[in-house]
Amino acid sequence: MDANRNTFETRLKNNARDIEALLDALLSPSALSDEIARPETLRDAMHYAVLNGGKRLRPFLVVESAALLGGDAEAALRVGAALECVHCYSLVHDDLPAMDDDDLRRGKPTVHIKFDEATAILAGDSLLTYAFDIIAAPETTLPDMSKASLVLALARAAGLGGMAGGQALDLAAEKQPPDEAGIIRLQAMKTGALIRFACEAGAVISASLAEDRRRLRAFGEKIGLAFQLADDILDLTSDAATMGKATGKDAARGKGTLVALRGMEWAETQLREHVRDAEALLVPYGARASTLIAAAHFIADRKS
């Protein structure tokens, strides 16, 4: 297991390096064809938002799910970069005073603190839009039908019925805490939808069978639930220095979480069950799935 973990951590680190190099190139000062210009401050804010640290777990899941099924590695990296743009946009907007009102992200000033609130809003808007540009661009060497499928899946995962809708439910939870089913739905939308897309995208990139897409989508749903449970546990047990962001805010704002509702022991047991269920979904792929299985354990065991 230690050897597997070392292999996983090396792959995660290498993928993060590759994703960051690609994001840096994508956010260069030079305008693309059909762009008129790239305003310096806005481009700087976007660059800061996506290159201020992080594990790059979501693009890693895209790359590894595609690798599992023999998909094109360069195309997967670009889809992973697009997903990271969506994820980082969500963090920029989530940190705004009108949302979670955070001054710290990944141990550094949030975008609206580093720049200003208007620039942060525009940076988030631009990152979201750029994600679909990256997928649709000629440099992403996939068939047009695959690109369209990815754009549709990412739009559904990020929008009204996915992450953005989950953020709206999260804000509403400050006034009226949801019941257990409501908490699960909120978390599946706000956190789980992008993780589900990350895993499902591998099957689209590799033009795999519908069964493969179903399995990877279900795997993504399970590890998405595990990710949020681990996050809620860390919010109660860790500190800002370790997490790189404020902790204990959900409890302070009266937001309901499964940990608060069912207790720490239940949450830790449920976390392990999600990981076991995720592993079971990948049994048909044998040893080829070892990296994705290691990712599921990493999500459950992470300390930040």
Side-chain angles (χ1 to χ4, degrees), residues 163-200:
M163 181 187 65
Q167 288 175 314
L169 293 176
D170 194 44
L171 290 171
E174 294 181 17
K175 298 177 181 177
Q176 182 63 48
D179 59 14
E180 184 171 347
I183 294 171
I184 293 171
R185 179 169 56 250
L186 183 165
Q187 294 181 345
M189 293 169 70
K190 183 180 179 184
T191 303
L194 290 189
I195 293 175
R196 182 192 70 195
F197 169 83
C199 298
E200 186 179 2

Side-chain angles (χ1 to χ4, degrees), residues 228-294:
Q228 186 60 58
L229 263 181
D231 213 46
D232 289 343
I233 290 169
L234 286 169
D235 191 58
L236 292 175
T237 60
S238 191
D239 54 50
T242 303
M243 295 292 288
K245 61 180 181 179
T247 57
K249 293 191 73 172
D250 285 347
R253 292 186 175 194
K255 289 182 183 178
T257 67
L258 292 176
V259 179
L261 191 67
R262 299 293 295 269
M264 188 68 72
E265 184 177 350
W266 177 91
E268 290 175 345
T269 300
Q270 192 72 12
L271 183 59
R272 298 301 159 193
E273 287 183 8
H274 288 324
V275 173
R276 284 196 294 271
D277 290 345
E279 283 191 73
L281 285 161
L282 300 187
V283 165
Y285 304 110
R288 288 185 294 137
S290 60
T291 301
L292 285 177
I293 289 171

Side-chain angles (χ1 to χ4, degrees), residues 20 47-54 56 88 91 105-111:
E20 287 168 4
H47 193 274
Y48 179 80
V50 299
L51 290 166
N52 68 340
R56 315 297 179 189
C88 292
L91 300 182
R105 172 67 65 180
R106 294 169 177 165
K108 299 175 183 177
T110 50
V111 176

Side-chain angles (χ1 to χ4, degrees), residues 4-231:
N4 288 341
R5 184 175 180 84
N6 288 339
T7 300
F8 165 79
E9 290 181 350
T10 298
R11 290 176 75 94
L12 182 65
K13 182 178 179 181
N14 289 343
N15 180 79
R17 178 201 63 210
D18 294 342
I19 282 288
E20 287 168 4
L22 178 55
L23 287 167
D24 182 55
L26 288 165
L27 289 167
S28 74
S30 302
L32 303 177
S33 61
D34 294 326
E35 289 183 342
I36 297 169
R38 291 187 162 190
E40 184 177 359
T41 300
L42 177 58
R43 197 233 35 131
D44 287 348
M46 294 168 68
H47 193 274
Y48 179 80
V50 299
L51 290 166
N52 68 340
K55 302 176 186 69
R56 315 297 179 189
L57 179 64
R58 289 159 189 80
F60 176 79
L61 291 170
V62 175
V63 168
E64 290 297 335
S65 63
L68 174 70
L69 299 170
D72 182 275
E74 288 301 316
L77 195 69
R78 286 183 60 86
V79 174
L83 176 56
E84 191 70 354
C85 285
V86 174
H87 174 56
C88 292
Y89 125 76
S90 76
L91 300 182
V92 172
H93 280 194
D94 206 37
D95 290 335
L96 289 167
M99 300 280 281
D100 276 0
D101 194 15
D102 277 314
D103 295 343
L104 198 67
R105 172 67 65 180
R106 294 169 177 165
K108 299 175 183 177
T110 50
V111 176
H112 69 275
I113 296 295
K114 176 75 172 177
F115 294 87
D116 58 65
E117 191 172 340
T119 300
I121 292 169
L122 291 172
D125 292 343
S126 300
L127 286 170
L128 174 60
T129 307
Y130 199 22
F132 299 103
D133 181 319
I134 294 166
I135 293 173
E139 291 82 1
T140 302
T141 53
L142 291 172
D144 288 345
M145 284 298 295
S146 296
K147 291 182 180 181
S149 183
L150 288 164
V151 165
L152 177 60
L154 183 54
R156 295 276 171 90
L160 173 64
M163 181 187 65
Q167 288 175 314
L169 293 176
D170 194 44
L171 290 171
E174 294 181 17
K175 298 177 181 177
Q176 182 63 48
D179 59 14
E180 184 171 347
I183 294 171
I184 293 171
R185 179 169 56 250
L186 183 165
Q187 294 181 345
M189 293 169 70
K190 183 180 179 184
T191 303
L194 290 189
I195 293 175
R196 182 192 70 195
F197 169 83
C199 298
E200 186 179 2
V204 180
I205 291 164
S206 58
S208 295
L209 298 173
E211 175 63 14
D212 293 313
R213 185 167 179 174
R214 185 198 69 77
R215 280 190 177 276
L216 284 175
R217 178 186 175 94
F219 174 79
E221 288 172 348
K222 287 295 180 183
I223 64 172
L225 291 169
F227 186 99
Q228 186 60 58
L229 263 181
D231 213 46

